Amino acid sequence: MADEDEHMQDDVDIEESDEDPDEDGDEGMMDDAPMQQPEPVEEDGAIARRRAIQAIMRDQSTSDQDKRLQIQALMSGGRTEVAPPPSPVLPENNASCVHYERNCNIVAPCCIRVYGCRICHDELSPAGHAAMNRFLVSQVVCKLCNTTQQTSNQCINCKTIFGEYHCSTCNLWMSQSKKPFHCAKCGFCRVGGADAFRHCDECCMCISIGVYADHQCFKDKYKNNCPVCREDMFSSRQSPQDLPCGHAIHAHCFRKLAGFDYRCPICKKTVVSPQSMAAAWDARARDIAEHPMPADLQRIVDIMCNDCETKSHGLNWHFLGIQCPNCNSFNTVVEQVLSSGADGNTNGANQNQNLGNGSGT
């Protein structure tokens, strides 16, 4: 037993010596052991940044602008150094502008690219790119010497005058042939000569003096989109036109519309004068009298006139239209079917849907 106890004690001593070696032994073991790889600190940092960016993008309470600033601060590591603004991208073969006669191109403040004018920018930019803000333009490029400079009407290098007309508020350069002028109440420049227009404070628009006395005033009437082309009429380069009903439309859009429809696209009132439409209404009435409806297609209906807004009851329906007894207009719509067919049965709403517009258009 004594020998066994001594043997067990020797084993304990050996184990203790292995757990607590001296300095020489420790150095020897470090020399023989393989070197441990350093922790991937940079890789972990990239993963952490990626997760932080994902968290920022998922935050619905933060605006897109704030998200961009937070991501920029995260990627820059908190550095306060601001990179210099990029140089403007100069056009190839000098940007040509078909909209204005001028000796300079503009640097778009949104994309730092050079265009002939703001309209060139909007037309040539890719789909989805926002329209350029003309009031934020701060740099121009001389077409003759390609010198980039602050906005003015004379090149600082070759002394070229950029435009016969220059508005520093709207950043507009153009010739005097279209008689441009700046309206302080509208807030930007218009063409046609200041003496040919008068600003209406109710409509908030410059109106030609030829129609100013007779135009119908509506609050902010022109601060709407054209009902045909959907372009903003207030800032449009195309002239608007007042319809007899008081609504406004582009003059060129009205000419296209008049080729196939005689009604206002908003309120459906006839845009042609009653005197001019009288002959057309009379011809329609003669056609209806000469071609009566067959017995099985006869209807008795109630109508409303889009022109005089009068409701009429118990009129005979015809596929060519139903004439208003009050103003003789055929611009009418069926409101209710009272009876149908030779036996006078009433089919209600279904007949109303099938008949549709009483004018037949």
Side-chain angles (χ1 to χ4, degrees):
M1 291 294 293
D3 293 339
E4 291 178 3
D5 292 341
E6 289 178 0
H7 182 70
M8 293 175 64
Q9 183 66 35
D10 291 339
D11 292 340
V12 172
D13 291 340
I14 291 173
E15 291 176 2
E16 290 179 351
S17 65
D18 290 339
E19 293 176 358
D20 187 20
D22 58 11
E23 293 182 359
D24 293 339
D26 189 27
E27 289 178 358
M29 291 178 64
M30 289 294 293
D31 291 338
D32 295 336
M35 295 291 291
Q36 295 184 356
Q37 296 295 327
E39 296 183 0
V41 178
E42 293 184 1
E43 183 178 350
D44 291 346
I47 295 174
R49 282 195 299 271
R50 185 162 59 250
R51 290 175 177 172
I53 292 174
Q54 292 173 351
I56 293 173
M57 296 302 296
R58 287 194 298 267
D59 188 0
Q60 300 297 329
S61 61
T62 306
S63 65
D64 293 341
Q65 179 68 18
D66 292 337
K67 287 180 182 179
R68 287 194 291 268
L69 294 176
Q70 292 178 19
I71 294 174
Q72 182 179 0
L74 185 66
M75 297 301 295
S76 64
R79 296 190 299 269
T80 57
E81 234 177 80
V82 179
S87 300
V89 180
L90 295 176
E92 297 182 2
N93 300 326
N94 222 346
S96 59
C97 176
V98 298
H99 307 101
Y100 300 105
E101 294 180 17
R102 52 172 62 171
N103 292 320
C104 67
N105 297 316
I106 61 174
V107 180
C110 51
C111 53
I112 319 299
R113 298 186 69 88
V114 178
Y115 292 92
C117 67
R118 67 176 183 88
I119 306 172
C120 293
H121 168 274
D122 296 345
E123 292 178 350
L124 299 176
S125 295
H129 190 81
M132 195 193 75
N133 189 336
R134 72 184 81 177
F135 303 104
L136 297 181
V137 175
S138 59
Q139 289 184 310
V140 295
V141 180
C142 179
K143 285 186 176 181
L144 275 70
C145 64
N146 283 334
T147 301
T148 303
Q149 56 202 281
Q150 296 298 309
T151 54
S152 69
N153 197 32
Q154 187 175 28
C155 178
I156 59 175
N157 182 41
C158 64
K159 307 304 178 183
T160 298
I161 301 299
F162 293 143
E164 296 177 357
Y165 173 84
H166 171 233
C167 177
S168 58
T169 302
C170 301
N171 292 312
L172 178 65
W173 296 263
M174 62 182 299
S175 66
Q176 291 283 5
S177 59
K178 294 186 177 180
K179 300 179 180 179
F181 68 97
H182 183 86
C183 176
K185 292 184 177 180
C186 285
F188 49 80
C189 294
R190 298 193 180 278
V191 297
D195 55 347
F197 290 87
R198 182 178 173 184
H199 188 88
C200 177
D201 295 327
E202 181 70 16
C203 297
C204 296
M205 182 82 166
C206 286
I207 299 176
S208 173
I209 58 175
V211 298
Y212 184 88
D214 299 326
H215 86 281
Q216 299 185 43
C217 284
F218 290 128
K219 181 66 176 177
D220 296 335
K221 174 172 62 175
Y222 296 99
K223 291 187 177 180
N224 294 296
N225 294 335
C226 173
V228 175
C229 68
R230 307 304 299 165
E231 182 186 358
D232 174 39
M233 287 188 294
F234 182 70
S235 58
S236 174
R237 298 172 65 241
Q238 303 294 334
S239 59
Q241 176 175 333
D242 278 358
L243 300 180
C245 57
H247 293 113
I249 186 175
H250 279 140
H252 69 286
C253 290
F254 172 72
R255 289 192 292 270
K256 293 180 180 179
L257 178 68
F260 58 88
D261 198 355
Y262 56 85
R263 298 174 300 174
C264 169
I266 299 176
C267 67
K268 301 304 180 183
K269 290 185 180 296
T270 303
V271 297
V272 184
S273 66
Q275 294 78 13
S276 300
M277 291 298 297
W281 296 152
D282 291 341
R284 180 87 61 93
R286 286 194 301 269
D287 291 340
I288 292 174
E290 294 173 359
H291 301 86
M293 295 297 296
D296 59 332
L297 296 179
Q298 293 178 0
R299 306 284 188 273
I300 303 299
V301 297
D302 292 343
I303 66 168
M304 188 191 74
C305 179
N306 289 325
D307 290 338
C308 66
E309 300 181 4
T310 300
K311 295 185 177 182
S312 303
H313 306 279
L315 301 181
N316 292 319
W317 175 81
H318 197 281
F319 70 92
L320 291 177
I322 308 168
Q323 191 168 27
C324 173
N326 183 55
C327 66
N328 295 326
S329 171
F330 275 90
N331 185 12
T332 58
V333 61
V334 174
E335 286 197 324
Q336 184 179 3
V337 178
L338 301 179
S339 64
S340 60
D343 54 357
N345 292 331
T346 302
N347 294 328
N350 291 334
Q351 289 292 344
N352 188 18
Q353 292 176 1
N354 292 335
L355 293 178
N357 192 332
S359 63
T361 58

